[in-house]
Structure formats: structure tokens, C-alpha cells
Amino acid sequence: EGSGRVVAAAPPKPGRILAAGTAAPAFSLKDPEGKTVALADLKGQMVLIDFWATWCGPCVRAMPSIERLHPAFAEKGLKGDGSNVWDDGNDPVKFKHDKGYTYGLLLKGDKVAESYGVSGIPAFFLIDQEGPIAYSVTGFGPDSERTIRGLVEKSLAPKDEKKP
């Protein structure tokens, strides 16, 4: 499990991380194959975004949890992407490939992270099927995977299984 430690950018970006209930800012980023991934194209899916960097120890420790969530929920409607930020000079594509991670990768997410109020990484956003942020957190602690998993299970459950 990852530690709850957060690695801040230097200097930190102004603002606060966007809270649950806030409309998720639109974004459009490239994946390693050069394909554009836009939030607008993902409407109807639940989206998990992980802002991370290759040099960030807490980010690296959180990645196995995100990898476990990916196959568990991909067929049920979860789109998981790691958005690489603040990582000039490193190769996030090689890093993720070498680790064997299969969830999505979005490149050069610095401006998107700024629009989401990210000032420390790792930072996670769970965006529901209609677009609002369902959950946001900076850092990744021992209960983070369980919290995200519970929110995804509740949101992606068939309508008749959802509890009030």
C-alpha cells in the first residue's frame, strides 16, 4: 500500500483541489500512441484520473492499487487513466511499460492538473458518468483503494442494486 505522503511541486500551484460535487473541467490529452482522449468522449463512463510522476515515491506506491482497480471494473464502465505531470526529462511510457501496468496513460497533463487544483501528487479524481467529481483526494493512504473501490462499486451497480 502507498503511504499518505504527498509530494508537492515547486513552487506549488495556487488554488485548492476540486471537491466532490464540482463539475469536472474538460480536458483533452494524448495517449502514448498519439490518440486524443477527451473527457467529453468518456461521458457515460466513470473516470478515474491519477495525476502522477515517475520521480514521485508516493505515486509509484499507489500505482499497484490503481492497476488492481482497472481490470476489476473496466468491463463495467470504469475508465482509469494515469496522467503524467511535472515529469520533464523522464519517460513515463517506458516507466509504466517496465512496471507492467495496463491502465491508460495520458501525457503532459500539467495544465489539466492545474485546472483541477492539483498542487501535490499523487492526486486522484473519480468522475461520475454524468461529469461531476464524485471523489477527490491528494495523497494515497492505506484506505484509499478500498474507498475508491467502494465508490466505483456503488456507482456502477445496476440501478436496482443501488442502495438509497
Side-chain angles (χ1 to χ4, degrees), residues 23-49:
F27 66 80
S28 181
L29 294 170
K30 299 277 186 192
D31 70 10
E33 289 77 41
K35 180 183 173 208
T36 299
V37 176
L39 182 59
D41 296 336
L42 301 175
K43 192 165 186 166
Q45 295 182 67
M46 180 160 252
V47 178
L48 176 62
I49 302 172

Side-chain angles (χ1 to χ4, degrees), residues 21-151:
T22 306
F27 66 80
S28 181
L29 294 170
K30 299 277 186 192
D31 70 10
E33 289 77 41
K35 180 183 173 208
T36 299
V37 176
L39 182 59
D41 296 336
L42 301 175
K43 192 165 186 166
Q45 295 182 67
M46 180 160 252
V47 178
L48 176 62
I49 302 172
D50 164 20
F51 291 99
W52 68 282
T54 59
W55 50 262
C56 168
C59 299
V60 173
R61 287 190 295 279
M63 292 174 107
S65 292
I66 305 308
E67 180 65 19
R68 283 190 291 273
L69 291 167
H70 172 68
F73 295 106
E75 291 184 15
K76 295 178 183 174
L78 177 68
K79 171 77 169 117
D81 286 307
S83 180
N84 186 253
V85 296
W86 312 330
D87 218 353
D88 292 339
N90 293 319
D91 186 347
V93 177
K94 181 179 181 334
F95 178 88
K96 236 179 124 237
H97 179 267
D98 289 351
K99 297 284 187 183
Y101 297 135
T102 60
Y103 60 94
L105 173 60
L106 303 175
L107 302 171
K108 300 182 180 180
D110 300 46
K111 292 287 185 196
V112 175
E114 190 174 331
S115 73
Y116 279 70
V118 174
S119 62
I121 53 176
F124 298 88
F125 293 86
L126 194 57
I127 302 168
D128 88 4
Q129 297 92 325
E130 298 304 313
I133 296 170
Y135 175 75
S136 63
V137 67
T138 301
F140 199 84
D143 293 329
S144 297
E145 180 180 350
R146 183 176 32 233
T147 299
I148 292 170
R149 181 178 291 275
L151 290 166

